[in-house]
């Protein structure tokens, strides 16, 4: 919610403003993905929408932490799970390019790609407005993950038949939300979901089962369940 309320809006045909947000939360035990819209219609009324999220992926931070620990143990260095957790974000060394890390990044990014391919937004996803991606969760800062997710999302949009101009119009959301006072970006990422869940504007977030194509000559009209 906080990121959705602060994304940059642009004005495609039929709307005063549109923002598209793909959320990838890489938590401890799971990775969760969702797609959301913020719109301002021609009457200047704001609407916040979300679509059905992806099924939870049971590949996330703890799995990578365990593999980092195993890697050090194999090399004769006895570290705890907590130490491996710290290494994952703050002490990047020779483990970062090992096959187990590449496989971990690929599993998550491929799952994100699969999700964006099936999101039932046949109207605004194809609008020439940036698709913004926010990656939350403590493991979202593992080097290389954000770039790989961005690449896979672009591949997914192309597979839906969107042209390169739209498929490559993807931005990583790097703006720190105002009024949050955390010392590091990792803390912002860890707290984002919890703060969003308690957002006072959460009741205004509406579910969309699908968004149909905009018929020629018609104005914006969401399909709301």
């Amino acid at each position: 919610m906080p990121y959705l309320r602060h994304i940059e809006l642009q004005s495609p045909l039929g709307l005063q403003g549109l923002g598209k947000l793909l959320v990838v939360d890489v938590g401890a035990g799971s990775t969760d993905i969702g797609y959301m819209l913020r719109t301002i219609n021609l009457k200047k009324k704001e609407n916040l929408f979300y679509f059905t999220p992806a099924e939870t992926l049971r590949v996330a931070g703890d799995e990578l932490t365990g593999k980092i620990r195993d890697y050090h143990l194999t090399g004769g260095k006895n570290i705890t799970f907590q130490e491996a957790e710290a290494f994952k974000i703050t002490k990047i060394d020779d483990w970062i390019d090992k096959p187990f890390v590449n496989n971990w990044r690929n599993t998550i990014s491929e799952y994100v790609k699969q999700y964006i391919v099936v999101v039932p937004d046949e109207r605004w996803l194809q609008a020439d407005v940036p698709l913004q991606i926010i990656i939350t969760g403590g493991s979202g800062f593992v080097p290389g993950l954000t770039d790989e997710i961005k690449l896979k999302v672009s591949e997914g949009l192309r597979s839906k038949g969107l042209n390169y101009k739209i498929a490559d119009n993807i931005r990583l959301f790097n703006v720190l939300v105002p009024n949050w006072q955390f010392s590091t970006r990792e803390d912002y990422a860890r707290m984002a979901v919890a703060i969003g869940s308690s957002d006072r504007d959460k009741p205004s977030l509406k579910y969309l089962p699908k968004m149909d194509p905009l018929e020629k000559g018609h104005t914006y009209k969401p399909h709301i369940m």
Side-chain angles (χ1 to χ4, degrees):
M1 282 291 291
Y3 292 103
L4 183 63
R5 297 304 302 274
H6 286 87
I7 58 176
E8 178 184 351
L9 299 183
Q10 296 191 22
S11 301
L13 182 65
L15 285 181
Q16 189 78 9
L18 169 66
K20 304 180 289 189
L21 184 66
L22 179 65
V23 182
V24 182
D25 179 53
V26 188
S30 67
T31 295
D32 297 279
I33 310 162
Y35 173 68
M36 310 169 79
L37 297 174
R38 179 184 174 211
T39 69
I40 298 178
N41 64 24
L42 297 179
K43 296 181 180 180
K44 298 187 178 180
K45 178 183 177 183
E46 181 186 60
N47 291 287
L48 306 175
F49 299 117
Y50 74 97
F51 290 75
T52 302
E55 291 188 12
T56 293
L57 175 66
R58 298 296 177 186
V59 175
D62 283 353
E63 176 169 322
L64 180 58
T65 300
K67 291 184 181 298
I68 293 171
R69 181 172 184 264
D70 292 342
Y71 170 73
H72 283 88
L73 289 175
T74 302
K77 185 176 181 180
N78 188 13
I79 65 172
T80 65
F81 189 87
Q82 289 71 26
E83 288 172 326
E85 179 71 19
F87 288 176
K88 183 173 63 178
I89 302 299
T90 62
K91 190 176 179 181
I92 309 302
D93 55 24
D94 62 330
W95 58 264
I96 193 62
D97 291 320
K98 296 298 180 183
F100 70 85
V101 184
N102 294 333
N103 290 339
W104 180 83
R105 284 189 293 244
N106 185 66
T107 298
I108 293 175
S109 59
E110 278 288 345
Y111 201 68
V112 177
K113 174 183 175 180
Q114 293 171 22
Y115 175 70
I116 202 65
V117 168
V118 300
V119 165
D121 177 8
E122 301 301 327
R123 183 177 304 181
W124 301 125
L125 188 57
Q126 60 186 308
D128 190 14
V129 170
L131 172 61
Q132 302 191 54
I133 303 176
I134 180 67
I135 301 177
T136 61
S139 297
F141 281 83
V142 172
L145 180 61
T146 55
D147 290 338
E148 188 156 347
I149 287 175
K150 184 178 178 181
L151 175 64
K152 292 295 184 180
V153 169
S154 180
E155 290 178 2
L157 294 175
R158 288 172 185 267
S159 73
K160 289 172 71 74
L162 304 186
N163 64 46
Y164 75 92
K165 183 179 179 182
I166 296 173
D168 293 342
N169 196 3
I170 300 169
R171 297 179 185 173
L172 295 173
F173 192 102
N174 291 316
V175 178
L176 298 182
V177 176
N179 303 321
W180 289 11
Q181 301 296 324
F182 300 119
S183 58
T184 67
R185 282 187 172 272
E186 290 82 2
D187 287 334
Y188 275 84
R190 291 186 182 100
M191 294 300 296
V193 174
I195 293 176
S197 296
S198 62
D199 193 295
R200 65 183 181 181
D201 290 323
K202 186 179 177 183
S204 64
L205 186 65
K206 301 179 182 69
Y207 170 67
L208 279 179
K210 66 176 181 176
M211 181 67 82
D212 295 325
L214 188 64
E215 296 181 18
K216 195 170 184 179
H218 286 224
T219 56
Y220 163 69
K221 186 177 180 182
H223 178 148
I224 304 177
M225 177 178 283

